[in-house]
């Protein structure tokens, strides 16, 4: 994976009109619907066991 995934929706207004922010640098996006700029930041990996309560993904997908 050479580049980060792009956000699909603005976290503030939910619009899809997102563009990479050239002013703020890599990982920054701007929403042209609500005129907000934000940055996606990778915080790190979850500790082992942190997802223990999450539903297993290997059960065929049936809820
Ligand atoms: Zn927005």
């Amino acid at each position: 994976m050479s580049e980060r995934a792009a956000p699909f929706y603005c976290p503030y207004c939910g619009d899809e009109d997102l563009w990479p922010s050239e002013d703020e640098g890599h990982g920054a996006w701007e929403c042209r619907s609500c005129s907000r700029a934000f940055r996606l930041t990778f915080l790190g990996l979850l500790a082992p066991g942190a997802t223990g309560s999450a539903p297993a993904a290997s059960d065929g997908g049936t809820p």
Side-chain angles (χ1 to χ4, degrees):
M1 191 166 69
S2 60
E3 63 184 58
R4 300 180 208 183
F8 292 115
Y9 302 99
C10 172
Y12 298 98
C13 72
D15 206 278
E16 301 175 39
D17 196 9
L18 301 178
W19 295 81
S21 177
E22 297 181 0
D23 293 336
E24 299 299 327
H26 194 75
W29 295 81
E30 52 190 44
C31 174
R32 295 187 181 174
S33 180
C34 65
S35 298
R36 286 184 171 95
F38 57 94
R39 184 185 304 276
L40 297 180
T41 304
F42 177 69
L43 297 177
L45 297 175
L46 296 174
T51 58
S53 60
S58 60
D59 61 358
T62 305

